Amino acid sequence: MASAFKTMPEFVAWKPVPPRLSHFGTSKTCHYLSTDPWAEGRKKWRYSLRAASTLDTANQSTNGVAVKSQRKKRAEEKETNLRFVFLEELMQCARNGDARGARVAMDDMVVAGLRPGPRSFHGLIVAHTIAGDEHGAMHSLRREVSLGFRPLEETFIALARLFGSKGHASRGEEILAAMEKFKFDIRRTWLILVEELHEAGHLKKANEVFLKGAGGGLKGTDKLYDLLIEENCKAGDHSNALTIARDMESHGRMATTFHFNCLLSVQIL
């Protein structure tokens, strides 16, 4: 038995074949076995997860925009309601000629985070005009314009009424010029200024303002033509009455018996 062991070859330790030398590396069978049978499924699963994540992100973004829009809408409604409350208070002060109360209301608006606009300044200016405060009204108008606002047409009309009632024709003409600068149609305000000057007993100034406007292409109303012709004839001013009558005819309204009687009455006197 000892001799048998001597004839057997010596034991050699097994060494793995390097991968680059293995003929199995290029085998089609080995390549098939080395392929992960679940790889395609995992790719689809990852794609579905990625698509779901993208969809969730899009939904979250859409929901976020909708929430922001709703919040903004609610904030705007709240601001509108709050502004309406202050405007109501301002209009009440304007009706009462309470300029001090109007200024306090505007200060409260600023404290509440609201910026006073043209309507707020309109209330303040009307309060000054009803109180007969020319200086305060003009100061408020200048302040409004300096802040970059475009005053309301009604604001200019209120100022024209104030200056006309006090006989300040030149200040009224300044208001008309300011309206032209802001691209307003001044005809209505011009008519009101002339009427207020006449009612205040300033017929001469009313004639001057009327004739300046007529010379610029403005047309009076039938009522105003009749009034000025009659009042000038009563005052013995045949020249102005005749000039106004000719302007009336140039705008397509012919003189009637009433106008001729007024003109003849001046000549008789």
Side-chain angles (χ1 to χ4, degrees):
M1 181 175 291
S3 59
F5 282 108
K6 289 180 181 180
T7 57
M8 290 182 64
E10 295 182 359
F11 177 77
V12 179
W14 178 80
K15 295 181 180 180
V17 180
R20 67 184 192 306
L21 299 178
S22 174
H23 65 279
F24 293 106
T26 57
S27 172
K28 294 182 179 180
T29 304
C30 181
H31 176 72
Y32 173 78
L33 292 176
S34 65
T35 302
D36 187 354
W38 302 101
E40 190 67 25
R42 277 198 295 269
K43 286 181 181 179
K44 294 180 178 179
W45 179 67
R46 291 194 191 99
Y47 176 78
S48 62
L49 285 179
R50 194 178 301 113
S53 176
T54 304
L55 183 60
D56 289 342
T57 303
N59 291 336
Q60 290 176 2
S61 177
T62 304
N63 293 336
V65 171
V67 170
K68 289 180 180 179
S69 177
Q70 292 176 358
R71 289 177 180 174
K72 183 178 179 181
K73 185 177 180 180
R74 286 196 295 267
E76 289 177 352
E77 291 178 353
K78 184 177 179 181
E79 179 181 345
T80 301
N81 293 334
L82 185 60
R83 188 178 291 276
F84 180 76
V85 172
F86 282 112
L87 287 176
E88 281 290 321
E89 184 179 354
L90 275 168
M91 291 303 107
Q92 186 62 38
C93 293
R95 295 186 195 101
N96 298 332
D98 184 6
R100 182 177 180 278
R103 285 195 299 270
V104 171
M106 290 183 66
D107 292 339
D108 291 342
M109 287 183 68
V110 176
V111 172
L114 300 176
R115 187 186 183 192
R119 295 188 182 278
S120 303
F121 279 100
H122 174 68
L124 176 61
I125 292 171
V126 169
H128 281 294
T129 58
I130 292 179
D133 184 6
E134 301 175 41
H135 177 74
M138 289 304 297
H139 175 74
S140 299
L141 180 64
R142 293 190 189 97
R143 179 185 170 194
E144 179 181 4
V145 174
S146 66
L147 291 174
F149 294 117
R150 184 176 187 260
L152 301 178
E153 182 180 3
E154 291 77 7
T155 303
F156 289 115
I157 291 175
L159 289 167
R161 288 188 184 277
L162 172 64
F163 294 132
S165 64
K166 290 184 174 292
H168 298 164
S170 59
R171 301 297 297 274
E173 290 175 350
E174 290 176 3
I175 294 300
L176 295 177
M179 290 187 70
E180 287 184 328
K181 181 179 179 182
F182 283 103
K183 308 301 181 183
F184 282 111
D185 183 1
I186 67 171
R187 181 175 179 267
R188 181 185 174 192
T189 310
W190 168 69
L191 293 172
I192 291 173
L193 177 61
V194 174
E195 291 174 356
E196 290 292 336
L197 287 169
H198 169 260
E199 291 178 4
H202 301 277
L203 180 60
K204 183 179 179 181
K205 293 180 179 179
N207 287 332
E208 291 175 355
V209 174
F210 179 84
L211 292 174
K212 284 183 181 178
L218 297 178
K219 178 184 178 183
T221 61
D222 293 348
K223 179 181 177 181
L224 186 59
Y225 280 122
D226 295 344
L227 176 66
L228 291 179
I229 292 172
E230 183 180 11
E231 291 299 321
N232 278 288
C233 289
K234 287 180 179 179
D237 192 347
H238 182 269
S239 176
N240 274 331
L242 185 59
T243 302
I244 294 170
R246 287 174 177 171
D247 181 74
M248 178 183 67
E249 291 182 341
S250 68
H251 284 96
R253 186 188 181 211
M254 302 307 295
T256 62
T257 305
F258 167 77
H259 303 110
F260 288 119
N261 288 337
C262 289
L263 294 171
L264 289 173
S265 66
V266 179
Q267 292 179 341
I268 293 173
L269 294 174

